[in-house]
């Protein structure tokens, strides 16, 4: 099996708690928090671990919060490659109001990463990628890193004959169109930005995906449609995967769980259809639990079985 290396340039320690009612100008007494290692690539590595697969989790970290992050990942027995930086790793907070079951998520900017530090990351990528490996870059870029950073990463992966998987947003999104990408997973809003349009209707989606694939070096495009599922597109294939309806408790990490499921299938030489369905199953499974607990293998497999049985293809075969 090919190795999977995840890359997180703006990791986070997620603090998750709950309170009985969110009201202004009053001290709110929350329950004891749970802490989770977070950030795009880190979540992908954590989800892969839950799905029974290993990975090398590469990320930058600094300060006491960076040390805490490293310990959280060690507790989950995840292999790490840490590039130490001077800035402190950010900490985010999510609070669930138990009266309304609404979740409030508070995020802060990441630290400034110096030129020397992000150059060290590029060297680490080159040292850890071998032919046939998957490099999964996920998450936004912090301050100090050029917006074309993922293009530089893709060039290294291509030189090493690996496969580059990208899931990013923010200022890095548009410049990343110039990268050599094996799999990209934008959500609908991000895909609108990539296509230089303000919004995308369902009727426009198919034409825009084909146009995007024609004009960019992308092998597989999976547009996440949130609770509605995803659209799988290649130059020769187009398939809509409708997600099962579940009672969502948290959407944090759902996209990262989806990426983890898809990359795992790719390493197992599954078809692109199987890959996309399992990705949707993993993303949906992650929403079943509060905080950043991500997907569980049993839930993902049960949801995947449901998707296979209820796919459009199988429904057409039904005598009813």
């Amino acid at each position: 099996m090919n190795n999977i290396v995840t890359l997180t340039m703006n990791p986070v320690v997620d603090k998750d708690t709950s309170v009985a009612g969110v009201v202004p100008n009053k001290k709110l007494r929350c329950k004891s928090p749970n802490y989770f290692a977070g950030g795009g690539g880190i979540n992908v590595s954590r989800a892969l671990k839950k799905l029974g697969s290993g990975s090398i989790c590469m990320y930058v970290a600094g300060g006491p919060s960076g040390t805490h992050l490293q310990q959280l990942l060690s507790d989950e027995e995840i292999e790490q490659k840490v590039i130490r930086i001077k800035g402190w790793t950010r900490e985010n907070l999510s609070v669930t109001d138990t009266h309304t079951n609404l979740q409030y998520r508070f995020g802060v900017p990441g630290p400034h990463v110096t030129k020397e530090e992000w150059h060290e990351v590029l060297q680490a990528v080159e040292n850890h990628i071998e032919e046939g490996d998957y490099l999964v870059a996920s998450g936004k870029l912090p301050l100090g890193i050029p917006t074309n950073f993922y293009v530089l990463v893709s060039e290294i992966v291509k030189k090493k004959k690996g496969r580059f998987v990208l899931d990013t947003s923010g200022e890095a999104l548009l410049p990343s169109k110039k990268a050599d990408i094996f799999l990209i997973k934008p959500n609908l809003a991000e895909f609108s930005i990539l296509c230089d349009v303000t919004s995308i209707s369902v009727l426009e989606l198919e034409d825009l995906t084909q146009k995007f694939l024609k004009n960019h070096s992308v092998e597989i495009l999976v547009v996440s449609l949130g609770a509605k599922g995803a659209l799988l597109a290649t130059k020769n294939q187009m398939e809509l995967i409708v997600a099962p309806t579940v009672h969502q408790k948290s959407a944090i990490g759902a996209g990262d769980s989806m990426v983890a499921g898809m990359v795992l299938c790719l390493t197992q030489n599954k078809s692109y259809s199987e890959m996309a369905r399992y990705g949707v199953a993993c993303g949906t499974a992650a929403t079943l639990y509060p905080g950043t607990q991500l997907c569980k293998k049993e839930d993902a497999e049960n949801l995947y079985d449901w998707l296979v049985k209820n796919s459009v293809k199988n429904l057409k075969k039904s005598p009813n």
Side-chain angles (χ1 to χ4, degrees):
M1 182 183 292
N2 303 114
N3 291 322
I4 302 171
V5 179
T6 67
L7 177 62
T8 312
M9 297 305 297
N10 199 9
V12 62
V13 173
D14 283 319
K15 183 189 296 186
D16 176 61
T17 185
S18 62
V19 66
V22 175
V23 294
N25 304 319
K26 182 180 179 181
K27 182 180 289 186
L28 305 178
R29 301 192 182 280
C30 302
K31 288 190 175 181
S32 296
N34 294 310
Y35 295 92
F36 302 95
I42 286 176
N43 283 337
V44 173
S45 280
R46 292 180 57 228
L48 283 166
K49 182 73 174 183
K50 291 174 178 289
L51 295 172
S53 174
S55 65
I56 300 173
C57 185
M58 184 182 297
Y59 61 95
V60 296
S65 52
T67 302
H68 186 194
L69 176 66
Q70 190 171 353
Q71 183 59 54
L72 288 169
L73 287 168
S74 295
D75 291 344
E76 294 190 51
E77 299 182 342
I78 292 174
E79 183 178 353
Q80 304 171 58
K81 169 58 184 175
V82 185
I83 296 90
R84 302 298 301 185
I85 60 174
K86 294 179 181 178
W88 286 26
T89 298
R90 64 194 175 112
E91 296 177 288
N92 286 349
L93 173 66
S94 63
V95 181
T96 299
D97 183 342
T98 57
H99 285 173
T100 63
N101 286 325
L102 295 176
Q103 185 183 67
Y104 299 85
R105 298 162 63 178
F106 303 90
V108 297
H112 183 277
V113 179
T114 67
K115 183 177 181 179
E116 292 75 16
E117 290 167 344
W118 61 260
H119 269 276
E120 187 178 348
V121 174
L122 293 178
Q123 187 60 56
V125 169
E126 184 153 12
N127 292 342
H128 285 78
I129 291 293
E130 298 180 358
E131 184 175 351
D133 287 352
Y134 288 84
L135 189 286
V136 184
S138 182
K140 292 183 178 181
L141 295 176
L143 297 173
I145 299 181
T147 56
N148 70 335
F149 179 78
Y150 288 134
V151 179
L152 302 179
V153 173
S154 76
E155 291 171 352
I156 296 172
V157 176
K158 183 178 181 180
K159 182 178 69 173
K160 301 286 284 190
K161 298 181 179 180
R163 290 177 170 180
F164 184 54
V165 178
L166 180 64
D167 182 17
T168 190
S169 59
E171 294 183 355
L173 186 60
L174 276 176
S176 296
K177 291 199 297 183
K178 297 180 180 179
D180 194 294
I181 301 169
F182 184 72
L183 167 65
I184 187 170
K185 186 210 69 65
N187 60 32
L188 199 56
E190 292 161 353
F191 190 54
S192 299
I193 295 172
L194 289 171
C195 294
D196 195 26
V197 295
T198 54
S199 62
I200 299 175
S201 71
V202 175
L203 296 176
E204 300 170 314
L205 189 54
E206 183 174 339
D207 288 340
L208 286 172
T209 54
Q210 288 302 310
K211 182 179 179 181
F212 181 83
L213 290 169
K214 182 179 179 181
N215 295 328
H216 299 89
S217 181
V218 175
E219 176 74 20
I220 310 168
L221 169 65
V222 178
V223 181
S224 172
L225 305 176
K228 295 180 180 178
L231 179 71
L232 163 67
T234 69
K235 289 181 172 64
N236 302 310
Q237 183 178 1
M238 185 80 62
E239 185 174 353
L240 177 66
I241 296 95
V242 179
T245 301
V246 299
H247 178 63
Q248 293 191 0
K249 293 185 178 179
S250 173
I252 301 175
D256 299 318
S257 293
M258 182 179 181
V259 171
M262 291 193 294
V263 174
L264 177 58
C265 284
L266 289 172
T267 64
Q268 296 171 341
N269 296 316
K270 300 290 182 65
S271 71
Y272 291 169
S273 290
E274 291 172 307
M275 172 207 76
R277 283 196 181 92
Y278 193 63
V280 169
C282 291
T284 305
T287 69
L288 299 175
Y289 301 95
T292 319
Q293 297 187 48
L294 305 173
C295 59
K296 293 184 178 181
K297 185 176 182 179
E298 182 179 0
D299 295 323
E301 291 181 348
N302 288 337
L303 289 165
Y304 175 76
D305 289 341
W306 184 93
L307 282 166
V308 171
K309 292 175 183 177
N310 293 277
S311 68
V312 173
K313 186 180 296 183
N314 283 337
L315 288 174
K316 286 181 178 179
K317 292 180 180 180
S318 171
N320 298 323

